[in-house]
Amino acid sequence: MRTDYCGNIDSSYIGQEVTLCGWVNKRRDLGGVIFIDLRDREGMVQVVFDPDLPDVLEVANTLRGEFCVRLTGKVRPRPQGQVNAQMKTGEIEILGTGLEVINKSAVLPLDWNQENSEEQRLRYRYLDLRRPVMSQRLQFRAKVTGAVRRFLEEQGFLDIETPILTKATPEGARDYLVPSRTHKGEFFALPQSPQLFKQLLMMSGMDRYYQIVKCFRDEDLRADRQPEFTQIDIETTFLDAEGVMSITEAMIRDLFKTMLDVDLGEFPRMTYAEAMQRYGSDKPDLRNPLELVDVADLMQSVEFKVFSGPANDAKGRVTVIRVPGGASLSRKQIDDYTRFVGIYGAKGLAWVKVNEKAKGQDGLQSPVLKFLSAEITDAIIERTGAQDGDILLFGADSATVVTEAMGALRLKLGNDFDLLEGEWRPLWVVDFPMFEEVDGALHALHHPFTSPRGLTAEELKANPVGALSDAYDMVLNGVELGGGSVRIHDQQMQSAVFSILGIEEEEARNKFGFLLEALQFGAPPHAGLAFGLDRLVMLMTGATSIRDVMAFPKTTTAACPLTDAPSPANPQQLDDLAITVVKKTAE
């Protein structure tokens, strides 16, 4: 039906006749001469219809926005002074000699001249995706997956599919369950990841596996979460953590160079403990120069219990953020930041303004100065490197609350004060704790198949709280691009981990029997990593939400306005599945 894409027509086509198909982006009638911008996925081109061809002009006069048309015309240079340098096709235009309206368009339910609500955009997603910015993002995503496939296949990786209907296994979120018609009362689960199957593939001798795969998690949603999302899933045998990190870092560096002409350079390493101490996050944004500075040792003897209490508590923390130029903050702005940290459980936000450092305490301003000696304030000023015009913001509470609250505050301050430096700052975060304590019980920080680093099963059981995992996360600009680990390939170690997590032998056999059995038959050492494709593309395209780089995402309530899913099943389907629906009752 066509000879070319609209966005590909340039000055090399001058004098040629072309046939194009697409949508009318805009129509302008300039006193008998009609101009349209015709759009397809590759871009737009200007088409002119003049009175010399009255039959064609008559059809052009009926065109409106989003009419689907096919036209024939001759490519010519634009008149002098009318070149549009902002358009890829801005040096030329097409003199329309033939025009066919393939399909008219009703009045659009979306207004492309203003911001539409996300609900509207998702309800009419097929229209929203016609917008050039959305089309370009999906094309970019397709090129990313193509580049990833080429890189991994050149490294000897095999693209192998794993089941979508599988067994429910605990991986940190609720499973989506699928009832079985042939096994009434029993259920499949949609995979939260291909974790166990890719490990089995390594035990099968596949050596290097990858898959660009859908994963499903029934969890509360945020801007960077969806009930179904896509992973670049990678697993290898006979490679340690360094080997996996080397390959995957090379892949991301190659991807950024190929797609964006950006050289990310060598990725620095940072331990989990350092990241939490300095930045209050295990995925620190290194573009932000602000850091958390611990001052508990200076506060142990002060009379102010807000400081001295946590300072003398083994599970407490007292830390401070120095904000350059922050002394200009009004009391209302400080109160706003106090309310912000309150979201994370902080009870308050003490502050000290440094007006004139040379005057000692007389050059400082704060309601808490009466509790702090000159010696202590001098030590705080020296440790933080505070200068005239800065403000010091203090967090004092349990270490968990302070780290989370001040870490979040650091990010907010960095954006509010426009402090971010550089465009891309990648790093590896390593040496994660093997377990975390939640309500008195131990939970795997990553997942229960992660290997501890440098420990035997007996040593792990003797001190699980102090164990580090052989795990690694790749972080870029404060976003976790991917995470992975060396996996447990020894049945004794796997049983030890299950025992520490409170998974009894019978429960382990019921949930993971096939994995435990496979570990008995010469299981090789293996390790891997999974990247979040949606987050990766979001960062690379500058989008603010993963929903803007997915073709048909769900809302934050895990619903699809386009298809009106989820929706009730008909009674016959429920009867076939032996399911009874319990109706909601008013509270």
Side-chain angles (χ1 to χ4, degrees):
M1 290 185 71
R2 62 185 171 196
T3 61
D4 298 276
Y5 283 107
C6 298
N8 292 341
I9 309 299
D10 58 23
S11 57
S12 67
Y13 283 76
I14 289 175
Q16 296 182 32
E17 184 176 83
V18 295
T19 300
L20 307 175
C21 296
W23 289 268
V24 177
N25 194 71
K26 184 183 293 185
R27 172 187 171 278
R28 304 180 299 281
D29 188 339
L30 303 182
V33 178
I34 294 175
F35 290 82
I36 68 166
D37 291 334
L38 190 67
R39 186 194 71 246
D40 60 20
R41 80 171 199 193
E42 297 299 322
M44 281 186 282
V45 67
Q46 179 172 285
V47 184
V48 184
F49 301 96
D50 66 29
D52 291 343
L53 295 170
D55 291 344
V56 177
L57 185 68
E58 184 179 354
V59 178
N61 195 44
T62 68
L63 299 180
R64 297 294 182 270
E66 295 310 300
F67 275 32
C68 183
V69 303
R70 176 174 181 262
L71 64 83
T72 300
K74 192 170 185 178
V75 182
R76 68 185 188 187
R78 290 200 188 190
Q80 190 172 5
Q82 295 184 21
V83 171
N84 185 347
Q86 304 302 313
M87 289 180 66
K88 181 181 174 183
T89 61
E91 294 183 352
I92 58 90
E93 63 185 15
I94 298 173
L95 177 62
T97 57
L99 178 61
E100 173 191 356
V101 176
I102 297 174
N103 242 326
K104 296 181 179 180
S105 173
V107 176
L108 294 181
L110 299 180
D111 185 349
W112 287 6
N113 294 315
Q114 66 179 25
E115 288 293 322
N116 298 284
S117 71
E118 188 169 62
E119 185 80 13
Q120 287 175 297
R121 291 176 55 208
L122 295 182
R123 168 67 179 85
Y124 300 100
R125 190 61 162 183
Y126 46 87
L127 295 178
D128 187 52
L129 292 178
R130 289 187 194 174
R131 293 191 300 133
V133 65
M134 294 301 297
S135 175
Q136 290 160 13
R137 285 171 180 163
L138 290 190
Q139 291 180 61
F140 186 93
R141 179 183 176 123
K143 292 174 182 176
V144 165
T145 59
V148 166
R149 290 184 187 280
R150 286 190 294 274
F151 180 91
L152 291 174
E153 286 165 10
E154 287 172 1
Q155 298 293 321
F157 285 82
L158 304 177
D159 181 3
I160 304 176
E161 294 180 351
T162 53
I164 293 298
L165 295 176
T166 182
K167 185 179 180 70
T169 56
E171 291 190 40
R174 287 181 294 272
D175 289 305
Y176 277 102
L177 298 180
V178 180
S180 170
R181 180 184 58 81
T182 53
H183 301 276
K184 287 183 170 56
E186 298 183 350
F187 297 83
F188 294 105
L190 301 182
Q192 294 185 35
S193 78
Q195 182 64 46
L196 298 183
F197 285 106
K198 66 183 178 183
Q199 289 191 242
L200 292 174
L201 285 171
M202 296 303 97
M203 298 175 198
S204 305
M206 294 299 102
D207 193 62
R208 293 191 174 194
Y209 141 97
Y210 87 94
Q211 188 180 186
I212 298 177
V213 60
K214 281 287 188 184
C215 302
F216 306 86
R217 294 180 186 175
D218 184 7
E219 57 187 348
D220 296 332
L221 303 185
R222 300 190 303 248
D224 61 345
R225 284 183 179 173
Q226 281 282 291
E228 53 179 313
F229 57 95
T230 306
Q231 280 187 183
I232 304 169
D233 208 45
I234 297 169
E235 198 78 8
T236 68
T237 51
F238 306 112
L239 277 184
D240 57 13
E242 290 295 328
V244 173
M245 293 165 74
S246 176
I247 287 176
T248 53
E249 178 178 323
M251 184 186 81
I252 295 299
R253 289 176 61 187
D254 179 79
L255 186 64
F256 270 73
K257 187 63 179 175
T258 300
M259 300 297 299
L260 300 178
D261 195 26
V262 168
D263 184 358
L264 292 176
E266 298 289 336
F267 291 15
R269 307 283 180 92
M270 182 179 297
T271 66
Y272 170 88
E274 181 183 357
M276 298 300 285
Q277 180 182 17
R278 293 174 60 189
Y279 304 110
S281 172
D282 60 358
K283 46 181 183 295
D285 187 347
L286 297 187
R287 297 173 302 165
N288 185 340
L290 301 182
E291 294 192 21
L292 280 60
V293 179
D294 286 317
V295 292
D297 59 311
L298 303 176
M299 300 294 193
Q300 290 175 342
S301 61
V302 301
E303 296 180 9
F304 193 38
K305 295 297 184 184
V306 170
F307 285 162
S308 61
N312 288 285
D313 184 345
K315 294 185 177 181
R317 186 176 185 187
V318 184
T319 192
V320 59
I321 297 175
R322 176 180 75 88
V323 186
S328 62
L329 288 173
S330 67
R331 187 57 189 264
K332 179 184 181 303
Q333 289 172 307
I334 294 173
D335 289 344
D336 288 341
Y337 285 123
T338 302
R339 282 189 288 272
F340 175 79
V341 295
I343 297 171
Y344 301 90
K347 301 179 183 67
L349 186 67
W351 54 272
V352 173
K353 290 185 177 182
V354 183
N355 297 323
E356 289 187 67
K357 186 171 69 170
K359 291 184 177 180
Q361 280 201 319
D362 290 339
L364 306 179
Q365 176 187 351
S366 171
V368 301
L369 281 178
K370 58 188 176 182
F371 301 111
L372 306 177
S373 68
E375 182 182 9
I376 289 175
T377 55
D378 287 347
I380 293 171
I381 295 294
E382 181 179 359
R383 186 173 296 183
T384 60
Q387 303 296 321
D388 291 353
D390 296 348
I391 191 171
L392 302 175
L393 301 174
F394 293 81
D397 207 309
S398 70
T400 301
V401 168
V402 169
T403 300
E404 185 175 5
M406 297 301 280
L409 179 62
R410 169 185 172 268
L411 294 177
K412 182 170 177 57
L413 290 166
N415 286 306
D416 290 353
F417 281 80
D418 196 24
L419 297 176
L420 303 190
E421 303 168 346
E423 187 174 7
W424 303 105
R425 294 293 303 275
L427 79 153
W428 286 104
V429 177
V430 297
D431 291 353
F432 286 84
M434 186 77 177
F435 305 103
E436 60 180 342
E437 188 174 340
V438 180
D439 297 329
L442 291 180
H443 297 262
L445 191 66
H446 277 79
H447 54 63
F449 317 108
T450 299
S451 178
R453 189 159 61 79
L455 296 176
T456 64
E458 290 73 21
E459 290 170 334
L460 179 66
K461 287 190 286 188
N463 182 23
V465 175
L468 297 179
S469 66
D470 208 349
Y472 34 83
D473 281 0
M474 184 187 290
V475 177
L476 180 64
N477 293 0
V479 175
E480 180 192 329
L481 287 187
S485 66
V486 174
R487 321 303 187 187
I488 296 171
H489 68 281
D490 176 77
Q491 187 184 34
Q492 185 182 6
M493 179 64 79
Q494 189 65 77
S495 296
V497 170
F498 285 158
S499 176
I500 291 167
L501 295 174
I503 300 174
E504 301 299 332
E505 186 175 343
E506 183 177 349
E507 182 185 1
R509 280 200 308 270
N510 181 49
K511 292 179 176 177
F512 311 108
F514 58 96
L515 176 69
L516 295 174
E517 184 178 66
L519 290 173
Q520 301 177 60
F521 299 104
H526 52 286
L529 186 147
F531 289 99
L533 176 63
D534 311 299
R535 291 184 189 179
L536 176 61
V537 176
M538 177 188 75
L539 277 182
M540 295 181 77
T541 59
T544 57
S545 166
I546 62 171
R547 291 190 290 276
D548 282 338
V549 297
M550 304 171 78
F552 300 104
K554 306 293 189 292
T555 66
T556 53
T557 58
C560 176
L562 175 66
T563 61
D564 195 27
S567 57
N570 67 53
Q572 183 60 55
Q573 287 176 304
L574 295 175
D575 187 57
D576 290 344
L577 295 168
I579 290 177
T580 300
V581 175
V582 178
K583 293 184 178 180
K584 291 182 180 179
T585 57
E587 292 184 3

